[in-house]
Amino acid sequence: MNQLSNIQFVCDDATEFMKKLAKEKHKVDVIIMDPPRSGSTKQFMDSVKILNPKQVVYISCDPTTQIRDIQYFKKIGYHTHTMHLYDMFPHTSHVESICLLSAK
């Protein structure tokens, strides 16, 4: 509808899809991830390392697991560029956290 040809949306298990992309050595500019409360999988993040995008946008509903995963991303060559918290659920203790990671 918007006549965009440089974007792709996939409905699949994220870890399996990322492993497949890494195995096929696809070129990826940006990865946008929004894992469940348990956080990302090591296999997903290892696939990010292989694909080596310039940026990763990490959206999380659990800042604790997001911080754990960001520490792993630091080990594989990414640094935190910016982070913002959003209160999308007023009158609850839940916040959404969005972090931009950039390749070093």
Side-chain angles (χ1 to χ4, degrees), residues 30-35 55-60 66 97-102:
V30 177
I31 292 175
I32 301 172
M33 57 186 291
D34 186 2
Q55 296 178 318
V56 177
V57 177
Y58 189 144
I59 304 164
S60 178
Q66 186 182 34
S97 174
I98 301 176
C99 180
L100 175 61
L101 300 160
S102 300

Side-chain angles (χ1 to χ4, degrees), residues 14-56:
T15 297
E16 293 305 314
F17 179 72
M18 289 292 287
K19 287 171 31 180
K20 178 181 164 190
L21 286 181
K23 183 177 180 183
E24 295 172 358
K25 307 239 188 269
H26 280 264
K27 178 166 174 23
V28 177
D29 296 321
V30 177
I31 292 175
I32 301 172
M33 57 186 291
D34 186 2
R37 287 191 183 280
S38 58
S40 187
T41 63
K42 185 177 180 301
Q43 296 90 354
F44 184 100
M45 293 183 286
D46 287 341
S47 295
V48 170
K49 180 181 179 181
I50 293 167
L51 293 168
N52 195 30
K54 295 175 187 170
Q55 296 178 318
V56 177

